[in-house]
Amino acid sequence: MSDPVILWLRQDLRLHDQPALVAAAHEGPVIPVYILDDAAPGDWAIGGAQRWWLHHTLDAFGAALKEKGSRLILRRGDAIRELHKLCEETGASRIHALRHYEPWWRKAEDALGDRLCLHDGNHLTPVEEVTTGSGGLFKIYSSFWKALATRMPPDTPLPIPRSIPVPAKWPKSDTLARWSLLPTKPDWSGGFDVWTPGEDAARKTAKAFADRVAAYDTDRNLPSIDGSSRLSPHLHMGEISPRDAWALVGGGKAALTFHKELAWRDFTHGVIIDRPDYADANGREKFDKLKWRRSPKDLEAWQQGRTGYPIVDAGMRQLWTTGWMHNRVRMIAASFLIKHLLIDWREGERWFWDCLVDADFGNNAVNWQWVAGTGVDSNMWGRIMAPLVQSEKFDAAGYIREWVPELAKLPDTVIHDPETAGCRLDAYPKPLIGHREARERALEAGRAAR
């Protein structure tokens, strides 16, 4: 029997379209391993919501491997050290893995040297191959999409290997229970029952979305209906590849908007290749001079969905309850924190990182800087979303009734803006600040920074 090979898994917990698995299975007996390394990311170790998801997806992936006659080895600690230890314990000389672009994983991949064989498979096409005429990475999404589109559709997804060779002896493994990834007291995950982590659920979600993708361009902006794909946490954890999602959802004009959002994910990973500090530093240095407000009270009100702006509060409560927020409402809530409350975008970015089941390092950073206007490709600082107007424009009445029950009995003519309508409820807070006052304060802060 040939020497075993290590399959190092991170955010790629799937059997379909898994180039690293295919290559490893072709080479020899495969030892699949997931290493929980909380130290390597530094301040960006995964948050509570993602830890909940990780527990369940590791459980599902372990069961899928078991059905194939294999198993999942779990280790905790420094990923580089644990991989070297596994090679020594098993006699493996090669490690196969999918390429990742988070700065800590790029550092780990470099440190493993020639022992590591990297494969592309977590993106529509290798991000580093989509370049400008001068050979650099794109800083503007629209230009990136034009270049990427010439390479689409993506390659055909790979099938699951017919068999996964197993080693004569398995190394020791941790147990999921010992990792304590699930919340205990208090257990805040009761509303997470809307999710089913794992590859099977990811593929079912993609197939179901295919039936309504034609309406996606319009419906995705309406919080009160189920118009989102719901694929974001599955894509983030790598339970489904972007190529497979493209294939299952379908091509053509009907799916164009969805394809562009898959491409946005690729684009944001290109940004963090170029700017590894993008989650912590303004993309435009001039905003380093902007004077943010420090208001723990206002920040807490925003986090708890007690701002007095119904659409913002509905979104923040949905986030806390389910680990997810409607995309249109994410923009509104983020804009409110930054422009209305004048609180540093990094405070919101950190909160989303801890609360979102789909919190992706590149996406989270680029999206927050896009809303803030501080990024390399973003709105201007002076674009300040009017939450009350947005709420009515995108027909959020039903959404507000679901997530802000104090307002559930109000008619559509009042529910978006109870304060202006003269409807004051003891159970619902007054707005933290008026829209016009907030807008002027934000514009003045921007002028002062320039």
Side-chain angles (χ1 to χ4, degrees), residues 203-236:
R203 292 175 63 80
K204 288 177 183 177
T205 300
K207 291 173 183 176
F209 176 57
D211 294 335
R212 49 190 175 84
V213 71
Y216 180 63
D217 186 49
T218 300
D219 290 357
R220 69 193 177 107
N221 282 310
L222 304 175
S224 295
I225 67 174
D226 186 19
S228 300
S229 73
R230 296 281 178 155
L231 280 168
S232 58
H234 299 293
L235 283 161
H236 167 67

Side-chain angles (χ1 to χ4, degrees), residues 338-407:
I338 298 163
K339 307 294 175 65
H340 280 66
L341 300 183
L342 208 59
I343 290 176
D344 195 326
W345 61 267
R346 283 158 284 220
E347 295 280 5
E349 178 194 33
R350 292 282 180 175
W351 185 251
F352 273 29
W353 182 258
D354 191 46
C355 294
L356 281 171
V357 292
D358 62 7
D360 178 272
F361 183 75
N363 251 334
N364 199 39
V366 174
N367 288 347
W368 271 95
Q369 293 223 50
W370 185 86
V371 173
T374 59
V376 294
D377 180 16
S378 61
N379 278 324
M380 295 184 295
W381 173 263
R383 183 181 177 188
I384 300 170
M385 298 182 81
L388 305 176
V389 173
Q390 290 274 316
S391 180
E392 189 169 3
K393 178 180 178 181
F394 293 106
D395 195 20
Y399 181 74
I400 293 169
R401 289 191 179 94
E402 179 177 4
W403 294 109
V404 190
E406 309 97 294
L407 306 179

Side-chain angles (χ1 to χ4, degrees), residues 27-305:
E27 188 171 328
V30 181
I31 301 174
V33 58
Y34 182 92
I35 302 167
L36 180 61
D37 185 346
D38 283 325
D43 293 339
W44 295 102
I46 62 173
Q50 282 191 67
R51 295 174 98 81
W52 176 91
W53 192 286
L54 179 63
H55 173 94
H56 291 290
T57 195
L58 285 172
D59 189 43
F61 187 66
L65 284 173
K66 188 175 181 180
E67 288 184 6
K68 298 289 290 183
S70 183
R71 66 177 68 174
L72 178 62
I73 301 300
L74 301 176
R75 294 290 180 95
R76 188 170 195 168
D78 182 274
I80 301 171
R81 187 180 303 118
E82 289 299 323
L83 287 168
H84 283 310
K85 283 172 61 177
L86 276 165
C87 287
E88 292 172 5
E89 292 170 17
T90 64
S93 59
R94 296 265 284 174
I95 302 166
H96 288 271
L98 289 191
R99 193 184 313 277
H100 284 60
Y101 293 112
E102 292 81 0
W104 55 91
W105 289 139
R106 285 168 62 83
K107 182 179 178 181
E109 290 166 2
D110 289 343
L112 289 167
D114 293 340
R115 177 173 271 179
L116 177 64
C117 183
L118 284 171
H119 307 267
D120 293 294
N122 267 2
H123 300 84
L124 292 170
T125 195
V127 175
E128 290 164 304
E129 293 182 9
V130 186
T131 57
T132 64
S134 61
L137 294 171
F138 284 94
K139 293 182 172 63
I140 305 298
Y141 169 72
S142 57
S143 300
F144 173 85
W145 168 250
K146 287 179 182 177
L148 179 68
T150 64
R151 304 167 65 103
M152 295 294 104
D155 292 342
T156 302
L158 297 173
I160 300 175
R162 290 183 179 180
S163 64
I164 303 175
V166 299
K169 183 180 180 181
W170 287 99
K172 291 182 180 179
S173 174
D174 284 350
T175 64
L176 266 179
R178 288 184 60 189
W179 287 4
S180 301
L181 295 171
L182 299 177
T184 52
K185 295 181 181 179
D187 183 357
W188 39 260
S189 65
F192 282 33
D193 59 1
V194 297
W195 301 107
T196 303
E199 181 176 11
D200 286 347
R203 292 175 63 80
K204 288 177 183 177
T205 300
K207 291 173 183 176
F209 176 57
D211 294 335
R212 49 190 175 84
V213 71
Y216 180 63
D217 186 49
T218 300
D219 290 357
R220 69 193 177 107
N221 282 310
L222 304 175
S224 295
I225 67 174
D226 186 19
S228 300
S229 73
R230 296 281 178 155
L231 280 168
S232 58
H234 299 293
L235 283 161
H236 167 67
M237 199 55 73
E239 298 167 350
I240 187 170
S241 74
R243 297 189 306 198
D244 208 12
W246 183 299
L248 291 173
V249 171
K253 276 189 174 182
L256 180 59
T257 298
F258 177 66
H259 294 162
K260 287 184 174 180
E261 293 199 348
L262 290 176
W264 174 263
R265 179 177 173 275
D266 282 17
F267 168 73
T268 65
H269 289 184
V271 172
I272 62 171
I273 293 173
D274 198 45
R275 289 285 304 271
D277 64 345
Y278 203 75
D280 297 295
N282 292 317
R284 299 179 185 179
E285 291 183 1
K286 67 181 181 182
F287 285 99
D288 292 347
K289 298 178 181 178
L290 196 144
K291 292 184 179 180
W292 300 105
R293 293 177 62 241
R294 286 192 57 81
S295 176
K297 182 179 179 182
D298 284 0
L299 176 60
E300 185 177 75
W302 177 81
Q303 292 170 340
Q304 295 179 353

